[in-house]
Amino acid sequence: MEKIANYINGELIAPKSSQYMDDVNPATAEVFAQIPLSNDKDLQYAIDAAEKAFPVWSNLSVKERANYLNKISKLINENLDELAKAESQDTGKPVQLAQTVDIPRASANMEFFAHAITQFSSESHAGINSINYTLRKPLGVVACISPWNLPLYLFTWKIAPALASGNCVIAKPSEITPYTAYLFSKICMEAGLPKGVLNILHGKGPEIGNAIVSHKNIKAVSFTGGTATGKRIAEISAPLFRKLSLELGGKNPALVFTDCDLDKTVDGLVRASFTNQGEICLCASRIYVEKPIYEEFKEKFVQKVRALKVGNPADPSVNMGALVSAQHLNKVKSYISLAKEEGGKLLCGEEAFELIEENKKGYFLRPHVLENLPNTCRTNQEEIFGPVVSLNVFQSEEEALSLANESEYGLASTIWTNDLSKAHRIGEEIKTGIVWINCWMNRDLRTPFGGMKNSGLGREGGLEALKFFTEPKNICIEY
Ligand code: NAD
């Protein structure tokens, strides 16, 4: 069985512990690789390598660093099919989704920040007989920790700006989906990335993840994952006075008004609810529909959801693959049981469906739609992170806004209306870091990305990311 290796100091190496855990294909429930269980010794070796690489890497010209990122981007494109299949094998997502979204975006992340760093400038402030200018210097060795739902996409979203701005990186992918990060280390070697600039450690979050964020030499942590983990990382980081970027969970509202384009809205929200099996932090999970069109929306929405095909991720006609793990499938199922206990009425989800022989043990679940749930119940308040949405009714714009904002989370929202003034009014008042009007997941990498409240701290994307990974220093000259 293939053993995944850590990537430290420019080499692929076994963990010092010689211990491994299983990497499981969720569509077949079969183990296909072994994941290193890294420990403090691997971490110290990686930190020493990164600290040694930092003076040279940070002093390269931006053009030289950008060239490395562009080479990596190109190699991702050249290996698109292999990477997409690997991503699907690890996560259960349709191969076609990985081919058209995950892997192209990973390449785009590298390319985008290769360009962005060449356009990055700092401020100057002219005074009376004086001028202040701001230098932005890389921080040193930083940590990038990412989750399982969009593995290479989110891994590179952090690594690219960190490297572009001159830092050296200790990165940890999720232990549930480590394989494309392993392939990415091979790509970095092929691109000739200098040794120690990027180090990828595999292993469990509470073990090596915790060790990374507890290490005093880590100057900043960029983390995407669950809110509870983010809180723990914030507690560890606070006394170290280090920079933190936390992209956490969501419970995203969608507001559907009578004056929307109904067919476009239904299509948009089916996509927003169930793309990637509902395992995207940005997925809609609470859909609020204005009373006059509630029944019509419900009928059209449920009909489209019933038509979604669930099954073999390699089949291009499939809309949804397997959920990422047995544990996650059980969690999502427990929320469906809870929803029923809370008075929810199931509109679809329990239809029988066929799976091919090799997928019979896989972690598949049909998309579930519920209605009749109070806004404050756990199903409507807690993140499920799977193919489950609730339909809810509202009677006025004020009520829609108040229901949407009644949440501990504040990541993303969608508003569906043809009334431009209303869209702007709600866009301004809704408490989420990202608002999409008549669309979902339309991403421009230059925009600030992140959430409010328990959805996180700080913003990624564009200049925000380059600012995060650099320390501003003001210099004042009097003349
Ligand atoms: P998770 O918090 O369990 O794990 C995320 C990463 O953190 C993994 O690499 C894990 O190994 C590591 N980790 C776990 N415990 C750690 C610790 N104590 N110290 C350091 N690292 C630790 O999250 P998950 O289950 O992998 O991902 C799902 C969550 O991610 C959902 O809540 C989802 O909303 C969120 N998410 C958010 C965004 C966003 O941009 N806001 C994007 C994708 C996913």
Side-chain angles (χ1 to χ4, degrees):
M1 173 127 355
E2 186 176 16
K3 284 194 161 105
I4 290 173
N6 284 330
Y7 170 56
I8 308 179
N9 201 25
E11 287 177 325
L12 292 174
I13 51 173
K16 299 269 196 262
S17 69
S18 304
Q19 307 261 303
Y20 290 83
M21 64 184 276
D22 291 340
D23 195 354
V24 178
N25 177 345
T28 60
E30 277 166 14
V31 176
F32 67 93
Q34 295 289 303
I35 310 164
L37 290 176
S38 308
N39 64 22
D40 285 352
K41 290 193 180 119
D42 302 290
L43 173 61
Q44 195 52 53
Y45 180 39
I47 294 210
D48 291 345
E51 287 183 333
K52 197 161 169 222
F54 179 69
V56 176
W57 180 250
S58 58
N59 280 305
L60 290 184
S61 68
V62 289
K63 180 104 196 324
E64 285 171 299
R65 288 202 300 267
N67 283 344
Y68 283 111
L69 267 64
N70 274 324
K71 259 191 225 167
I72 294 170
S73 163
K74 202 163 150 267
L75 286 167
I76 293 175
N77 285 334
E78 285 173 15
N79 292 282
L80 188 139
D81 284 341
E82 185 196 356
L83 287 163
K85 278 188 199 140
E87 205 67 297
S88 168
Q89 176 172 246
D90 232 357
T91 57
K93 71 176 71 198
V95 174
Q96 202 176 32
L97 185 71
Q99 259 163 349
T100 53
V101 177
D102 292 74
I103 308 305
R105 173 59 193 276
S107 169
N109 288 339
M110 303 308 292
E111 186 189 33
F112 173 83
F113 282 107
H115 289 292
I117 195 64
T118 65
Q119 308 299 312
F120 190 42
S121 59
S122 59
E123 309 87 46
S124 78
H125 301 87
I128 297 167
N129 290 342
S130 68
I131 186 155
N132 288 270
Y133 64 92
T134 309
L135 283 181
R136 285 205 162 260
K137 295 295 221 179
L139 304 170
V141 180
V142 300
C144 297
I145 301 181
S146 56
W148 51 256
N149 63 322
L150 300 167
L152 194 62
Y153 174 131
L154 290 174
F155 198 54
T156 50
W157 181 231
K158 299 179 174 303
I159 290 172
L163 293 183
S165 45
N167 300 283
C168 291
V169 175
I170 309 293
K172 195 196 97 58
S174 169
E175 62 273 38
I176 301 170
T177 56
Y179 201 84
T180 50
Y182 170 53
L183 295 179
F184 183 72
S185 30
K186 293 184 180 179
I187 284 176
C188 291
M189 290 167 81
E190 197 180 336
L193 190 70
K195 62 182 190 180
V197 167
L198 170 65
N199 303 276
I200 301 176
L201 295 174
H202 294 273
K204 293 185 178 169
E207 295 171 10
I208 188 64
N210 186 68
I212 295 171
V213 299
S214 303
H215 201 291
K216 63 179 182 9
N217 293 19
I218 294 285
K219 303 290 186 235
V221 177
S222 172
F223 170 80
T224 298
T227 296
T229 315
K231 193 170 170 198
R232 163 109 187 101
I233 293 173
E235 282 163 2
I236 293 171
S237 295
L240 296 171
F241 303 109
R242 67 151 73 107
K243 279 183 143 182
L244 263 190
S245 165
L246 301 174
E247 300 296 337
L248 311 176
K251 186 74 186 174
N252 308 309
L255 305 185
V256 180
F257 288 91
T258 306
D259 55 23
C260 72
D261 175 337
L262 192 57
D263 289 332
K264 183 181 170 192
T265 303
V266 169
D267 285 347
L269 281 177
V270 170
R271 219 182 115 241
S273 305
F274 300 115
T275 298
N276 205 46
Q277 302 73 242
E279 296 167 326
I280 301 184
C281 56
L282 307 164
C283 275
S285 60
R286 303 178 281 145
I287 301 179
Y288 300 94
V289 186
E290 201 165 11
K291 189 143 191 233
I293 56 160
Y294 182 80
E295 291 302 326
E296 194 186 352
F297 174 88
K298 177 168 93 179
E299 193 185 319
K300 290 189 167 191
F301 185 77
V302 170
Q303 193 187 1
K304 290 242 157 162
V305 174
R306 279 179 194 273
L308 292 176
K309 190 168 165 192
V310 177
N312 181 11
D315 176 349
S317 69
V318 150
N319 304 103
M320 288 170 52
L323 298 204
V324 76
S325 65
Q327 196 189 4
H328 190 57
L329 176 67
N330 289 336
K331 178 191 148 182
V332 176
K333 282 185 173 168
S334 76
Y335 270 105
I336 296 165
S337 306
L338 173 72
K340 290 178 189 161
E341 282 164 32
E342 289 181 322
K345 180 178 161 204
L346 196 60
L347 299 172
C348 66
E350 290 183 348
E351 308 81 20
F353 65 108
E354 286 289 311
L355 287 169
I356 60 167
E357 199 49 44
E358 71 173 277
N359 294 137
K360 290 235 154 97
K361 292 190 178 144
Y363 315 130
F364 294 88
L365 185 69
R366 280 210 55 84
H368 283 60
V369 182
L370 294 142
E371 68 172 352
N372 204 29
L373 284 158
N375 207 44
T376 49
C377 75
R378 287 182 54 204
T379 315
N380 262 337
Q381 291 293 324
E382 295 178 13
E383 185 183 47
I384 301 174
F385 212 52
V388 181
V389 291
S390 70
L391 302 186
N392 309 273
V393 191
F394 69 85
Q395 311 244 25
S396 66
E397 187 181 320
E398 293 69 33
E399 192 192 6
L401 194 57
S402 138
L403 291 167
N405 284 342
E406 189 175 36
S407 170
E408 286 180 0
Y409 292 105
L411 186 55
S413 57
T414 56
I415 302 167
W416 304 84
T417 173
N418 280 323
D419 179 339
L420 203 57
S421 302
K422 191 196 292 171
H424 282 299
R425 266 196 313 272
I426 298 181
E428 209 174 308
E429 294 301 323
I430 201 161
K431 301 236 171 329
T432 61
I434 301 153
V435 183
W436 279 297
I437 296 170
N438 297 326
C439 61
W440 175 74
M441 227 173 142
N442 179 333
R443 292 281 293 115
D444 180 328
L445 304 190
R446 293 168 300 178
T447 58
F449 178 92
M452 300 179 178
K453 302 192 263 184
N454 288 1
S455 292
L457 189 71
R459 294 292 181 270
E460 296 187 310
L463 295 181
E464 301 281 340
L466 296 178
K467 283 187 174 169
F468 173 75
F469 283 115
T470 51
E471 182 87 18
K473 182 198 278 180
N474 189 69
I475 299 184
C476 177
I477 316 166
E478 196 176 288
Y479 53 87

